[in-house]
Amino acid sequence: MIPCKPASEHPPEWKKLFADSYVGLKSLNNYYQNTDLNPQLLNDINTLFPIQLTQELFNTHQADGAVLKQYLPSEHELKDPPGYNSNPVGDIEATQLPGVIKKYRHRVLLITSNTCPVHCRYCFRKNFPYPDSSPKKHMFEKALAFCEQDTSVNEIILSGGDPLSLEDAMLAYLFKSIENIKHIKTIRLHTKYPSIFPQRITPELLDVLNNSSLNKVCVFHINHPDEVTAKFCEAAQKIKHTNTTTLNQSVLLNQINNNAQTLIKLSHKLFNAGVLPYYLHMLDNAKGTHHFHVAYDEALAIVSKMKSHLPGYLVPKLAREIAGEDSKIY
Ligand code: SF4
């Protein structure tokens, strides 16, 4: 086992840039003065799941447009109908040890970070007990020891939060350690950084990918074609050129992307960026997300229309996650 390195004393440049770009509730106060959300409501929403996005996102998109509506709060977050809960996909039951989730045969998911580049209001882990489960450095060693012992595992998924919230030295440590486990063949990263803060794709990160002998898969999380910007495309190309398979998964969201034309455009734009659409997820019933819900019949009709306009490789699989099942349902 490779010993885990301590965090660097001097944060990398991207981290400082990112800290400067981050806005939370306090910085958005002026905007909220003109909305129906009174300060008490906003405070209640923020307490449940902090409001965080980048200034660039806020400046680039209309507040009532499809992109920002994913990241700005709504009073609906405080009014859950029955059936919405804090553990919608059985993460708690599938946790083997803090930060290690095993739901499916042959794959283990590591909660590598409790930090994301943006807080998506529809997030299925918005109520996840991160302080208990986000591995500290010594916890990575235990997580990797678990993966080493379980020889049925051939793929490790770095998730979170967002694994690219880790510094590159820590990612290099994880990649190297995983390479040393003979039965692990594939490493997969799920990230929103390339579409939210593409400056995160540093030369050092590309070195980590380039130098790895594992099969590498990077899954982006983009829901709307307006998020496929020139900067995202550049970042995605850089990742792809490290011999990493680049995919995208979306969540089907009411008033964001629940029409075939939007998703067809998304598939085309992703493909132009070298990215294949992978999953179109039904919303998970996490507390505070019901206003994004799309009925399954509507979802089937949307995908049917997509099939009539797109080649099969550009139609994402419509997927549902049901706690306790041994795969996603699609
Ligand atoms: S980036 Fe992913 S984990 Fe983070 S808030 Fe968004 S959906 Fe949740």
Side-chain angles (χ1 to χ4, degrees):
M1 183 73 59
I2 301 172
C4 199
K5 287 184 183 163
S8 62
E9 283 172 26
H10 305 291
E13 189 61 22
W14 70 265
K15 235 176 170 174
K16 286 185 249 160
L17 283 173
F18 186 58
D20 290 344
S21 76
Y22 221 33
V23 291
L25 178 58
K26 277 189 190 154
S27 320
L28 296 173
N29 268 343
N30 282 345
Y31 166 70
Y32 290 120
Q33 279 173 9
N34 302 319
T35 74
D36 294 339
L37 290 172
N38 66 49
Q40 183 59 51
L41 271 180
L42 276 171
N43 194 50
D44 291 348
I45 295 169
N46 195 57
T47 302
L48 285 176
F49 189 52
I51 299 150
Q52 290 183 345
L53 63 157
T54 61
Q55 195 68 56
E56 185 170 352
L57 264 179
F58 194 68
N59 293 344
T60 309
H61 299 281
Q62 296 289 332
D64 59 352
V67 172
L68 266 193
K69 274 201 289 190
Q70 300 174 68
Y71 311 121
L72 289 178
S74 157
E75 58 188 334
H76 297 294
E77 292 181 50
L78 298 173
K79 299 175 195 159
D80 284 311
Y84 285 77
N85 62 77
S86 56
N87 180 32
V89 292
D91 279 348
I92 303 298
E93 295 80 355
T95 295
Q96 311 298 316
L97 57 153
V100 178
I101 296 177
K102 188 178 184 198
K103 285 184 184 167
Y104 306 135
R105 209 167 286 151
H106 309 309
R107 276 155 283 164
V108 161
L109 182 146
L110 302 187
I111 301 286
T112 51
S113 161
N114 58 4
T115 307
C116 296
V118 70
H119 280 183
C120 317
R121 309 316 298 173
Y122 57 85
C123 178
F124 73 112
R125 290 207 180 111
K126 69 194 290 185
N127 313 115
F128 190 76
Y130 281 112
D132 300 336
S133 293
S134 182
K136 311 282 180 290
K137 285 151 213 91
H138 67 279
M139 291 164 74
F140 281 137
E141 292 174 354
K142 288 188 181 161
L144 291 165
F146 173 90
C147 296
E148 192 160 19
Q149 274 168 14
D150 186 343
T151 55
S152 73
V153 177
N154 59 27
E155 177 171 2
I156 293 182
I157 301 160
L158 305 187
S159 183
D162 194 309
L164 296 194
S165 298
L166 296 176
E167 294 184 14
D168 294 320
M170 183 61 83
L171 285 167
Y173 157 76
L174 283 174
F175 270 66
K176 236 347 133 208
S177 302
I178 292 168
E179 275 166 33
N180 283 348
I181 305 175
K182 285 201 173 52
H183 51 273
I184 307 295
K185 305 296 177 205
T186 302
I187 187 164
R188 191 193 327 165
L189 295 144
H190 280 248
T191 180
K192 248 183 119 76
Y193 270 98
S195 58
I196 302 295
F197 189 73
Q199 299 92 315
R200 171 66 190 94
I201 312 309
T202 58
E204 292 77 15
L205 172 64
L206 297 171
D207 281 348
V208 172
L209 294 168
N210 258 323
N211 294 336
S212 175
S213 58
L214 294 159
N215 299 318
K216 293 154 296 186
V217 181
C218 190
V219 183
F220 306 121
H221 292 198
I222 294 181
N223 299 320
H224 191 277
D226 289 353
E227 296 178 284
V228 185
T229 61
K231 286 181 188 169
F232 164 78
C233 294
E234 195 185 327
Q237 284 293 329
K238 285 181 186 168
I239 293 171
K240 192 179 168 74
H241 287 148
T242 64
N243 198 23
T244 298
T245 299
T246 48
L247 305 172
N248 183 66
Q249 65 177 28
S250 305
V251 183
L252 187 59
L253 299 168
N254 183 40
Q255 294 189 14
I256 308 295
N257 61 5
N258 60 326
N259 71 77
Q261 284 313 319
T262 299
L263 290 171
I264 289 167
K265 191 171 174 190
L266 175 59
S267 281
H268 282 305
K269 287 187 81 170
L270 287 167
F271 188 55
N272 287 340
V275 180
L276 283 175
Y278 164 47
Y279 276 143
L280 176 62
H281 284 277
M282 294 299 296
L283 182 78
D284 300 312
N285 289 359
K287 274 166 78 85
T289 66
H290 77 279
H291 51 301
F292 290 113
H293 174 76
V294 176
Y296 192 55
D297 283 352
E298 182 185 344
L300 288 174
I302 289 169
V303 173
S304 172
K305 198 161 179 189
M306 290 175 76
K307 285 179 184 166
S308 70
H309 285 266
L310 290 168
Y313 57 86
L314 290 187
V315 181
K317 286 179 190 152
L318 182 65
R320 285 178 293 169
E321 182 162 350
I322 297 175
E325 292 289 332
D326 62 6
S327 74
K328 297 216 170 30
I329 311 293
Y330 47 80

